Amino acid sequence: MGRIKAEYIWIDGHKPTAKLRSKTKIIDGPVKTVNDLPIWGFDGSSTMQAEGSDSDCELMPVYFTPDPIRGGDNLLVMCEVNNADGTPHVSNTRAQLRKVAEKYKDEESWFGIEQEYTFFQGRNPLGWPEGGYPAPQGPFYCGVGADEVYGREIVEEHMEACMKAGLMLSGINAEVMPGQWEFQVGPLGPLDVADELWLARWLLYRIGEDYGVNATLHPKPVKGDWNGAGAHTNFSTKSMREDGGIKVIIAACEKLQKAHKRHMGVYGAHNEERLTGLHETCSIHEFRYAVSDRGASIRIPMATDKAGKGYLEDRRPSANMDPYQVCTAIVATVCGNSDSVVEDETEMVSETVS
Ligand code: ADP
Ligand code: MN
Ligand code: MN
Ligand code: MN
């Protein structure tokens, strides 16, 4: 096979919210396993990952999919960032999740993440009148019609691209605020869900380029009486999914309650603007879990309560969260105990890298 384009994608060192970066490497195909993809490098001084005097960072391919935009045998390649000596860079939050996922693999954790986002064209959310506001919220959630939804052609193209890449999307919907949408990834294991979410975000931004529209993950893109954007994180372990699992789910909620502050440290920057207690959220200063309650920190879905087994929905993570950090925190808290959590998260950056 001939030469192919491999888009190497990584997460930078921008604070408080990390950004995606990518560049293309032309390589000889075919690529059968991740080991066929060469290690590469980049200028870390341009991505807030190094000083100019010692600027080389390493890109280590860890996951790849077909590239649905370029087509053919071309690839998207998710990478971890390493220091020049091959050790994980401080911004490399995936390395931590790798360890925690391996440690608790017998629990068979599954995640389903609901990624909300808002389209912007120039300074306005897509479809909003220049410098003004649309009608109040109400008709837009799961709406249909040119006066209610904006950007569906981009959403459809993105969904198609994710499916062509083989990402495990579970659905999409228009959100409460006009111009705001959601896609869901999962259920998948911790590393897979996080890798796929980052790739799905990259595809969203990339496809938006073709329309002159950008997607923001800011948790409160418009101040006032407009819904914010979250990344509800649905979670289960094997024992939660088995008969009597509801007991395990309640025990998990109790552990998450004790760890509330620690989790909020990695659930996304500016999340306090969104978690106000209004607009289907619980205040950032409180923690409540309840069946079916969209004003709780953690919702136990009605079907889970009825069946006595299933999963929980952590409603706290914001749209701009780093799924490597959120999955690390949840697995460490729920599957570990108070001593092991400290150990599991020693290298966890307390400043949000998302
Ligand atoms: P909501 O009703 O909150 O809008 P969604 O349907 O948008 O929920 O998203 C629910 C997510 O939970 C989906 O990604 C789905 O795949 C995932 N999910 C379903 N069952 C489980 C489970 N047992 N463990 C973890 N995630 C799950
Ligand atoms: Mn949803
Ligand atoms: Mn939603
Ligand atoms: Mn939800």
Side-chain angles (χ1 to χ4, degrees), residues 214-264:
N214 70 291
T216 175
L217 303 186
H218 195 285
K220 194 74 178 183
V222 185
K223 316 282 174 247
D225 199 15
W226 303 96
N227 271 37
H232 297 168
T233 301
N234 300 274
F235 173 73
S236 64
T237 59
K238 186 163 174 263
S239 57
M240 293 179 186
R241 298 187 294 268
E242 287 170 351
D243 285 348
I246 190 78
K247 285 204 195 83
V248 187
I249 291 171
I250 304 283
C253 291
E254 295 287 339
K255 282 181 167 178
L256 287 163
Q257 173 146 31
K258 292 202 184 79
H260 178 61
K261 272 221 174 104
R262 222 185 68 246
H263 280 239
M264 294 322 302

Side-chain angles (χ1 to χ4, degrees), residues 152-269:
R152 192 187 295 276
E153 66 279 28
I154 313 174
V155 171
E156 288 287 328
E157 190 174 326
H158 174 250
M159 177 161 52
E160 187 62 30
C162 288
M163 292 175 74
K164 273 201 189 130
L167 305 184
M168 180 69 176
L169 236 58
S170 54
I172 60 112
N173 60 268
E175 269 303 336
V176 175
M177 183 179 108
Q180 203 169 78
W181 293 83
E182 165 180 319
F183 64 84
Q184 306 103 30
V185 183
L188 287 167
L191 276 175
D192 287 339
V193 82
D195 287 339
E196 293 199 9
L197 182 60
W198 276 115
L199 285 179
R201 286 173 174 178
W202 188 90
L203 282 168
L204 184 65
Y205 298 141
R206 171 61 192 81
I207 290 166
E209 287 177 9
D210 297 344
Y211 292 86
V213 168
N214 70 291
T216 175
L217 303 186
H218 195 285
K220 194 74 178 183
V222 185
K223 316 282 174 247
D225 199 15
W226 303 96
N227 271 37
H232 297 168
T233 301
N234 300 274
F235 173 73
S236 64
T237 59
K238 186 163 174 263
S239 57
M240 293 179 186
R241 298 187 294 268
E242 287 170 351
D243 285 348
I246 190 78
K247 285 204 195 83
V248 187
I249 291 171
I250 304 283
C253 291
E254 295 287 339
K255 282 181 167 178
L256 287 163
Q257 173 146 31
K258 292 202 184 79
H260 178 61
K261 272 221 174 104
R262 222 185 68 246
H263 280 239
M264 294 322 302
V266 294
Y267 274 18

Side-chain angles (χ1 to χ4, degrees), residues 119 125-128 134-153 155 173-181 226:
F119 284 135
L126 187 63
W128 288 37
Q137 292 185 162
F140 307 109
Y141 171 73
C142 297
V144 61
D147 55 340
E148 294 195 344
V149 296
Y150 308 108
R152 192 187 295 276
E153 66 279 28
V155 171
N173 60 268
E175 269 303 336
V176 175
M177 183 179 108
Q180 203 169 78
W181 293 83
W226 303 96

